[in-house]
Amino acid sequence: MSEVFFVGCGPGDPELITVKAKKLIQKADVVVYSGSLIPDPILKLCKKGKLHDAAKLVREEIFDLLYKNAKKDKLVVRLHDGDPSIYGAIKEQIDNLEEKGIKSTVIPGVTAFLASAAALGMQLTLPGVTQTIIVTRGESRTKVPKREKISELAKHKATLIFYLSIQLISKLVAEAIEGGYKKSTPVAVVYRASWPDQKIIKGTLGDIAKKIKDEKITRTAIVIISDVIDPKTYEYSKLYDKKFSHGYRKAKKESS
């Protein structure tokens, strides 16, 4: 059965690509990639294949490229930045291919919010602060269900992460505060996480919008709202506590 590989190539740093993804790109006959979001060193891994920039194509043209080349039993890679499953529009591509008898395989990649957390040197969940991560986007041309409005999600006081929303930063701030976050809640914005021109801006809900405007950042940034960015206090992990037993280690007895 003919096949198309949907491959995540990571957030930008060409070394943050999986071994499997790298091997597929190197062997590919055809690579359809996501425009300027894919760094040149990764595209250069494609030694013998033909490259097609998906940014210049509409949905039907992309599908046609994938289908016709897979039908000829060529090794076809649909290359996505980050991880294909996060805002990657792969469902519609996979369904269309399946209807025509073409199999799809997804190769995961390092997504931008994880690269952003790494750049910040932070832990997205902390005992005693939050154990939940909510990944979402602000509402613009793509609508979101009412139950997923920022003001509704903010009620959880979890770590709130936004893709594709930096241009809406004032709206994000207003709705997060409306939902219950304090103006003093820490916010971190990472522009082009892991790229050579990566930039980190930190602030609070009270001042982050002005800082982002001053930096003139309007795209390609992750926004993180959470007390875990600058926690006043947190609890240590139970897993490594000497009083905690689990399947691999007994709790240590207090010496008398």
Side-chain angles (χ1 to χ4, degrees), residues 179-214:
Y181 285 103
K182 296 178 182 177
K183 284 187 178 180
S184 59
T185 303
V187 182
V189 172
V190 183
Y191 169 74
R192 284 168 65 88
S194 85
W195 289 73
D197 57 347
Q198 170 186 286
K199 189 178 288 187
I200 294 172
I201 300 94
K202 295 174 78 173
T204 66
L205 284 174
D207 62 17
I208 195 67
K210 184 180 185 307
K211 288 184 175 183
I212 295 305
K213 185 178 179 182
D214 291 345

Side-chain angles (χ1 to χ4, degrees), residues 74-86:
K74 291 185 177 181
L75 178 50
V76 181
V77 168
R78 174 65 171 102
L79 193 59
H80 286 263
D81 59 301
D83 183 276
S85 65
I86 299 182

Side-chain angles (χ1 to χ4, degrees), residues 26-42:
Q26 288 172 329
K27 294 189 293 184
D29 299 307
V30 175
V31 174
V32 181
Y33 66 99
S34 301
S36 61
L37 298 172
I38 310 295
D40 286 338
I42 287 180

Side-chain angles (χ1 to χ4, degrees), residues 48-110:
K48 60 171 187 150
K50 188 169 182 181
L51 295 167
H52 299 271
D53 185 353
K56 300 174 182 177
L57 306 173
V58 298
R59 179 184 296 108
E60 290 77 12
E61 290 170 325
I62 294 171
F63 172 67
D64 202 47
L65 265 174
L66 299 177
Y67 170 68
K68 286 183 176 178
N69 283 288
K71 200 68 179 171
K72 294 175 185 174
D73 288 324
K74 291 185 177 181
L75 178 50
V76 181
V77 168
R78 174 65 171 102
L79 193 59
H80 286 263
D81 59 301
D83 183 276
S85 65
I86 299 182
Y87 301 113
I90 62 171
K91 174 68 173 169
E92 60 197 46
Q93 298 175 77
I94 290 171
D95 285 351
N96 279 324
L97 289 168
E98 192 174 87
E99 285 175 11
K100 297 250 185 160
I102 306 295
K103 180 185 173 185
S104 296
T105 297
V106 179
I107 309 300
V110 177

Side-chain angles (χ1 to χ4, degrees), residues 5 25 64 71 116 159 161 177 190:
F5 291 89
I25 296 166
D64 202 47
K71 200 68 179 171
S116 296
T159 295
I161 298 171
I177 292 171
V190 183

Side-chain angles (χ1 to χ4, degrees), residues 6 8 34 49 59 107 123 125 137 141 156 168 172 213 247:
F6 289 85
S34 301
R59 179 184 296 108
I107 309 300
Q123 186 174 320
T125 57
R137 63 178 297 175
R141 287 185 292 181
H156 296 284
L168 305 170
L172 304 188
K213 185 178 179 182

Side-chain angles (χ1 to χ4, degrees), residues 135-199:
V135 179
T136 188
R137 63 178 297 175
E139 185 174 62
S140 185
R141 287 185 292 181
T142 300
K143 300 299 179 184
V144 301
K146 187 176 180 180
R147 65 181 181 276
E148 294 177 17
K149 298 288 185 184
I150 298 166
S151 56
E152 290 296 312
L153 298 178
K155 292 177 181 178
H156 296 284
K157 307 285 183 60
T159 295
L160 193 51
I161 298 171
F162 293 92
Y163 277 79
L164 308 167
S165 305
I166 191 63
Q167 74 281 8
L168 305 170
I169 188 67
S170 294
K171 180 182 177 182
L172 304 188
V173 165
E175 292 195 26
I177 292 171
E178 180 189 341
Y181 285 103
K182 296 178 182 177
K183 284 187 178 180
S184 59
T185 303
V187 182
V189 172
V190 183
Y191 169 74
R192 284 168 65 88
S194 85
W195 289 73
D197 57 347
Q198 170 186 286
K199 189 178 288 187

